[in-house]
Amino acid sequence: MTRFDLPENQMVAVDDVNLRLDLSNLPFEDAHRQAIAAHWLIEKAAQPALFNGRLLMFSELRLENGVLEGRCHLADYATLLYWRSIRPHPDVVHCFAHPALVSADGALVAARMGAHTANAGSVYFAAGSFEQDDLRDGRIDHVANMEREVMEETGLDLTRLTHEPDYHVLAMVTGTVIFRRYRLDVSADEAARAIEAHVAADPEPEIEGPVILRDAKAAPDGLLPHMQTFRDWHFANPMRL
């Protein structure tokens, strides 16, 4: 069976997400340890604030009866950065969740990453890689991951927002993204002001500030390819609750 059995470059609806931990080492990491270590020195020299923590990377992703099924392994952040420099690779992929914030007036509320991060200047929804703390009984709690990352980066509380019941998955060379749309009860401008206040009060903010996408033509500098695909799909398929 194909390890990564997902349609490429398509927004695919799924009913649920089931991502489970394999306690064995990530084979890709074992096979490339020297190259990973050498590449980390380059990345660290360019961005001294980087921390080589642990996260989850995937050796299998597939769709089964409307559910995204996956097998993940604990790996170093350095491994992700090395993979990113040589992707695609047939044995491993990065999968992460994107809570897509939709304002009361229909805009998308994204963020620009801070200059000290590995994704400096990039524009995408507040999000972060799955980590060991996201595991519950051997399964990734992707909702808790989204709630934590949005709170840390923007100060917004996902637990207070309504959301669509299903998810959409987008598999690209740059990684596999799990999207879920959340409805804000304020306008895009009000949301932006709240995020700006949160960033100003944070001694070590991860983001530079909010970025508002008001229509399918919105193309700010740094908007990542998966965000462009989602932007087009979102405005062609407005959120309805």
Side-chain angles (χ1 to χ4, degrees), residues 29-241:
E29 189 171 70
D30 282 344
H32 298 275
R33 287 196 181 276
Q34 289 187 334
I36 290 168
H39 187 260
W40 173 250
L41 294 178
I42 296 171
E43 294 278 2
K44 184 71 171 176
Q47 294 285 5
L50 294 181
F51 172 69
N52 192 19
R54 300 283 276 172
L55 48 75
L56 295 162
M57 295 192 72
F58 289 76
S59 60
E60 183 179 347
L61 284 172
R62 67 184 188 279
L63 296 177
E64 189 169 303
N65 299 321
V67 177
L68 177 66
E69 301 277 357
R71 179 158 54 103
C72 62
H73 309 252
L74 282 167
D76 288 339
Y77 184 57
T79 301
L80 170 62
L81 295 186
Y82 175 70
W83 167 82
R84 197 169 72 170
S85 73
I86 65 168
R87 64 192 174 197
H89 193 282
D91 298 331
V92 66
V93 76
H94 185 219
C95 176
F96 51 98
H98 259 358
L101 301 179
V102 182
S103 68
D105 47 354
L108 296 173
V109 181
R112 186 179 302 280
M113 296 304 295
H116 63 288
T117 68
N119 299 314
S122 295
V123 173
Y124 51 90
F125 296 117
S129 296
F130 295 128
E131 302 173 357
Q132 189 166 11
D133 288 346
D134 295 319
L135 292 168
R136 306 287 186 274
D137 297 323
R139 177 178 175 180
I140 293 177
D141 188 339
H142 56 283
V143 174
N145 169 272
M146 292 190 289
E147 292 171 352
R148 181 189 69 243
E149 295 295 335
V150 170
M151 177 61 74
E152 289 179 355
E153 296 182 17
T154 70
L156 301 177
D157 186 355
L158 280 190
T159 67
R160 301 175 64 88
L161 305 181
T162 55
H163 59 74
E164 291 182 318
D166 57 355
Y167 303 85
H168 284 81
V169 174
L170 175 64
M172 304 182 75
V173 169
T174 50
T176 296
V177 191
I178 303 163
F179 290 99
R180 182 184 240 179
R181 290 192 288 194
Y182 287 78
R183 172 74 77 182
L184 295 164
D185 57 4
V186 297
S187 69
D189 289 341
E190 291 174 295
R193 287 194 290 271
I195 295 171
E196 288 166 352
H198 175 79
V199 171
D202 189 340
E204 296 181 348
E206 195 166 346
I207 66 171
E208 181 180 304
V211 177
I212 307 301
L213 309 179
R214 298 187 185 277
D215 54 43
K217 296 180 181 179
D221 290 344
L223 188 67
L224 295 183
H226 70 270
M227 288 293 294
Q228 297 171 30
T229 300
F230 181 82
R231 172 205 60 197
D232 295 346
W233 174 85
H234 166 75
F235 288 107
N237 302 272
M239 183 179 182
R240 296 182 178 88
L241 287 174

